[in-house]
Amino acid sequence: MTPGMSDLFDFDLRKDRYAVMGNPIAHSKSPRIHTLFAQQTGQSLEYTAILVDHGGFSQAVGNFDASGGKGLNITVPFKEEAWRLVTQRSERAELAGAVNTIKFDGKTMYGDNTDGVGLVNDLTHNHQIELRGKRILVMGAGGAARGVIAPLLHQQPAALVIANRTVDKALVLASLFKRLGKIEGVGYEHLAGQQFEVIINATAASLQGEVPPLPDDVLAKNAVCYDMMYGARPTSFMQWAKAHAAAQVYDGLGMLVEQAAEAFFIWRGVRPQSRSIITSLREELITPATK
Ligand code: ATR
């Protein structure tokens, strides 16, 4: 039997191809999410995960483009490199200083950043939280924090405070975004006596099972606490929030799905219904499939 062309490659040539690139990448949920989106919307596409060597990112993107790939998601640690590599950027990617979504059209390499809108959509649509007029605290001043500041300011909060262990980084971020709204960069000790209605953890502290040094009385009445990390069990910040009587406590699984939904829309012009996908992923997270 003669093999068909598509048997010679590890992908299906008839389908539009997408992928997520990162390092590490094995545990990425993006292939699962986009496959569910494609099924739900009746779109024919293939989405894979590509492990990229440190130092091999631009080559990997170039190869993917040259082989006819239609779009990429970019994750840790390549988002800033992707920002430098693309030939065009959306305004929100420009401000975020990072690109998590690339669209190829044969000529341009268009870079966008859907992380911030993913967070805002999860908070406002899925959890029905009004951000306008609220006092918001973002913990952390790395890439994760930077990616969400402009979309948060766009919601017109009463105040947006960025707290970071290394205060200088919080000050830099605040000055970078000050033309977009009321924003202040501080160290954690500066939070004494202040209360916030929405507290977002954009630090990597939960990865180490740690919680940033928050004052015990930092939560306003009916406060919402949101960790951009997620896992099968509540993160250390979520446990802290529950112990401090936060009214609502969420992890970042919804943000992950919402940033993917926005990328899917950029590529396909169709917006998936994310709620049922979030529910499926939550079930899979809590009860991993036995092989
Ligand atoms: P990312 O791109 O995920 O934001 P990053 O740029 O390395 O990653 O930033 C990590 C953020 O988590 C930083 O704000 C870091 O604080 P410093 O700038 O002071 O290092 C913060 N962070 C990491 N571990 C932390 C911890 N245990 N407590 C408080 N903040 C922590």
Side-chain angles (χ1 to χ4, degrees):
M1 203 165 66
T2 317
M5 270 300 276
S6 61
D7 297 325
L8 300 173
F9 296 89
D10 60 356
F11 52 79
D12 186 338
L13 288 172
R14 291 159 302 185
K15 289 186 177 173
D16 286 347
R17 285 184 303 112
Y18 299 85
V20 58
M21 288 185 175
N23 189 337
I25 203 66
H27 293 105
S28 170
K29 299 206 177 298
S30 293
R32 178 79 181 128
I33 295 171
H34 284 280
T35 301
L36 290 170
F37 285 167
Q39 281 169 7
Q40 187 200 61
T41 58
Q43 296 274 306
S44 174
L45 59 87
E46 185 186 272
Y47 189 110
T48 54
I50 300 176
L51 176 69
V52 174
D53 286 337
H54 298 278
F57 179 69
S58 63
Q59 177 85 47
V61 173
N63 290 348
F64 189 82
D65 185 14
S67 72
K70 299 284 184 197
L72 285 172
N73 282 135
I74 310 300
T75 188
V76 178
F78 299 119
K79 290 185 191 184
E80 283 83 8
E81 197 174 340
W83 186 89
R84 292 192 292 273
L85 187 67
V86 294
T87 57
Q88 274 180 28
R89 297 181 200 119
S90 67
E91 196 187 340
R92 61 192 180 190
E94 194 68 50
L95 287 165
V99 156
N100 80 333
T101 303
I102 300 178
K103 183 179 177 178
F104 303 99
D105 66 4
K107 294 189 290 287
T108 53
M109 203 188 280
Y110 175 75
D112 204 340
N113 190 311
T114 65
D115 287 330
V117 75
L119 170 68
V120 167
N121 284 348
D122 193 38
L123 283 167
T124 59
H125 298 167
N126 299 335
H127 302 309
Q128 303 282 308
I129 294 158
E130 167 88 52
L131 297 174
R132 191 188 171 96
K134 296 283 169 62
R135 284 177 53 77
I136 303 179
L137 172 64
V138 170
M139 299 187 288
R146 181 170 171 174
V148 301
I149 291 174
L152 285 173
L153 283 174
H154 194 66
Q155 297 294 308
Q156 299 185 299
L160 179 58
V161 174
I162 311 294
N164 200 44
R165 233 171 19 182
T166 314
V167 183
D168 279 358
K169 283 162 71 178
L171 294 174
V172 168
L173 278 194
S175 82
L176 213 55
F177 288 93
K178 64 174 187 277
R179 68 181 171 85
L180 298 182
K182 273 191 80 180
I183 182 167
E184 188 189 4
V186 300
Y188 288 100
E189 65 288 348
H190 189 83
L191 299 175
Q194 295 198 54
Q195 277 78 43
F196 295 88
E197 286 140 323
V198 179
I199 302 191
I200 297 163
N201 185 15
T203 74
S206 288
L207 285 178
Q208 304 132 25
E210 292 175 4
V211 180
L214 287 169
D216 280 332
D217 62 351
V218 74
L219 299 184
K221 199 164 172 274
N222 297 323
V224 177
C225 289
Y226 192 103
D227 199 328
M228 284 166 56
M229 302 268 166
Y230 65 87
R233 282 183 298 280
T235 66
S236 38
F237 172 59
M238 292 168 73
Q239 291 172 32
W240 179 96
K242 282 175 190 156
H244 287 76
Q248 298 176 70
V249 181
Y250 302 110
D251 73 4
L253 188 68
M255 173 181 174
L256 176 76
V257 176
E258 293 296 344
Q259 65 76 29
E262 187 74 13
F264 193 90
F265 178 71
I266 290 164
W267 293 328
R268 309 300 297 183
V270 179
R271 199 172 282 284
Q273 298 289 321
S274 46
R275 283 205 194 196
S276 62
I277 312 278
I278 296 172
T279 305
S280 304
L281 276 151
R282 179 71 67 195
E283 281 164 10
E284 290 170 17
L285 197 63
I286 295 169
T287 340
T290 42
K291 291 202 176 149

